[in-house]
Amino acid sequence: YLWGTGRLGRGLTVVVAASDATAAEKAGADYICNGAGDQEEIQAAIDLLYGTEAATKLGGTVQLTSGKYKTTGTINHYRTTGGLTKDVHISVVLRGVGRAGGPLNPSDVAVNQGGTIIEAQSSFGDVIQVGTGNTYYHYGSGIDGLTVAALATMGNTTAGIRIYKTQAYLINDVDTWHQYKGIVTEVNSNGNIVNTQVNDVGIHPATGLAGAA
């Protein structure tokens, strides 16, 4: 699947602004983060687009602004509400405005180094989890144009991005920093990882990794 064709890239766009986003970006946002536990606003946008089995399925893009999103819990990039009793054929893309563009200062807490940064503030597990270990699959989800980081001073998170039982996923234009494992693909996941820089212990495929660069 290509961005903007097929299932990926279609649907609604929900904008989540970082606490240090520009005034213009905040003015156009549906959610505005406060710089503490920012996964909550991102999660609300993701949940809105995935919907529930009983509700209209929207799909689309969660658009993150420039700036830093400081998280204290995992961002669950899958349907988390309304149960999961069948495969989910809904594309939701988590998209930033671009990678940070260089090594992050391990002691940095507040400085916006450019692009979109999701930065874990404590050791809580995976920064982003795509799909679940449930019996059922998610199809066509993606992450595009951002940096996933953790404060080196607080110890490594488990993984920057972990992918469970997701088909036709696309990880594009992503950096990962300061994780124990950069990107982990679990059993029964198939997709592509392109234009991505893993500055950690690497990409850890289980099965079905179609491409990595």
Side-chain angles (χ1 to χ4, degrees), residues 8-189:
L8 287 178
R10 289 187 174 180
L12 300 179
T13 295
V14 180
V15 180
V16 182
S19 61
D20 58 347
T22 67
E25 287 173 323
K26 289 180 178 179
D30 300 288
Y31 298 90
I32 300 176
C33 298
N34 63 8
D38 291 342
Q39 75 279 357
E40 295 179 4
E41 289 81 6
I42 297 173
Q43 192 66 58
I46 290 172
D47 290 346
L48 175 66
L49 293 182
Y50 273 119
T52 68
E53 290 185 344
T56 301
K57 317 305 188 298
L58 300 175
T61 300
V62 175
Q63 179 65 59
L64 305 181
T65 65
S66 64
K68 181 175 290 183
Y69 297 81
K70 299 178 182 180
T71 61
T72 54
T74 299
I75 296 169
N76 296 307
H77 192 343
Y78 55 86
R79 177 183 289 157
T80 64
T81 57
L84 190 62
T85 61
K86 57 186 176 183
D87 293 344
V88 180
H89 291 267
I90 305 170
S91 290
V92 174
V93 178
L94 181 62
R95 176 173 289 152
V97 299
R99 295 183 279 178
L104 302 181
N105 180 349
S107 62
D108 172 48
V109 177
V111 178
N112 176 3
Q113 301 188 52
T116 299
I117 304 170
I118 298 176
E119 183 178 72
Q121 303 294 298
S122 59
S123 299
F124 52 76
D126 304 324
V127 181
I128 303 174
Q129 180 178 318
V130 182
T132 73
N134 190 286
T135 303
Y136 300 95
Y137 288 86
H138 282 71
Y139 285 80
S141 297
I143 301 175
D144 179 50
L146 53 83
T147 290
V148 181
L151 292 178
T153 53
M154 62 83 177
N156 291 328
T157 55
T158 304
I161 301 171
R162 186 180 300 271
I163 305 167
Y164 282 106
K165 297 196 75 170
T166 301
Q167 302 294 306
Y169 67 80
L170 178 59
I171 308 298
N172 177 64
D173 191 30
V174 171
D175 277 348
T176 69
W177 292 89
H178 308 315
Q179 276 84 46
Y180 173 62
K181 295 180 179 179
I183 299 175
V184 178
T185 63
E186 298 289 354
V187 174
N188 297 320
S189 290

